Amino acid sequence: MAKKNSINNYIDSIGNFFSVFPDLSKGATQPIISIIPWLALIFGTLGIAAAVVGLGIFTIIEPIAQVTGVKRTGFDFIFVLLSLVSSALLLSAFAKTQRKEKKGWQLLYYSESAALLSDVLSKDIVGILLSLLVFYILYQIRSYYTK
């Protein structure tokens, strides 16, 4: 008997939380499914570009900040790295979500998890709420990604 791995159990348990909310209609999910790959491509590309610029800025500013006594620049560096990871996952999800592969949905899930972690660490309430909305939408379209 095959045993599910713990990450799939975790993803399923989070899905149970979102199952108490009303389902989106089929008319609402179909456009979302067709747009998701393109949103992943656009925001993945923009996110990587912004993260690379952010890393460059931190590389230049970090020594100056150390000398002048500015705190928390290392913590902000973590946010840029999480943004880079999230954006790279979005880009890698593009082709798989076009083919409606389960792996594409999982990459979107991991990308949003990295974004949520960044929001929680930065105590960004609006970001947390938006991430929860994205998770709700992801769980609503999950059944369409089966390959």
Side-chain angles (χ1 to χ4, degrees):
M1 179 166 88
K3 184 177 180 185
K4 285 178 126 181
N5 66 25
S6 61
I7 190 73
N8 284 337
N9 289 338
Y10 175 74
I11 291 173
D12 290 342
S13 68
I14 298 297
N16 291 337
F17 169 76
F18 287 103
S19 68
V20 300
F21 297 105
D23 291 336
L24 292 175
S25 69
K26 194 169 193 128
T29 56
Q30 290 301 330
I32 292 171
I33 291 167
S34 64
I35 311 175
I36 287 252
W38 299 104
L39 290 176
L41 178 67
I42 292 166
F43 287 112
T45 303
L46 291 174
I48 286 180
V52 168
V53 168
L55 289 174
I57 290 171
F58 274 115
T59 302
I60 294 168
I61 292 180
E62 178 67 25
I64 297 167
Q66 294 282 331
V67 171
T68 59
V70 174
K71 305 277 190 240
R72 281 195 45 147
T73 55
F75 199 63
D76 292 336
F77 188 75
I78 291 171
F79 299 139
V80 174
L81 288 178
L82 284 171
S83 172
L84 183 63
V85 167
S86 178
S87 299
L89 289 168
L90 279 176
L91 263 183
S92 60
F94 170 67
K96 290 173 178 50
T97 53
Q98 275 193 312
R99 294 187 300 264
K100 294 183 178 54
E101 294 179 16
K102 185 176 182 179
K103 183 70 173 172
W105 184 90
Q106 290 172 331
L107 289 168
L108 292 174
Y109 179 87
Y110 298 143
S111 171
E112 194 56 36
S113 296
L116 179 61
L117 177 61
S118 177
D119 294 336
V120 168
L121 290 175
S122 64
K123 300 174 187 157
D124 180 7
I125 301 300
V126 174
I128 292 169
L129 292 174
L130 286 174
S131 288
L132 291 174
L133 176 63
V134 170
F135 276 121
Y136 167 73
I137 292 169
L138 281 176
Y139 277 103
Q140 290 295 307
I141 63 172
R142 183 181 186 190
S143 62
Y144 294 92
Y145 295 89
T146 56
K147 295 180 185 175

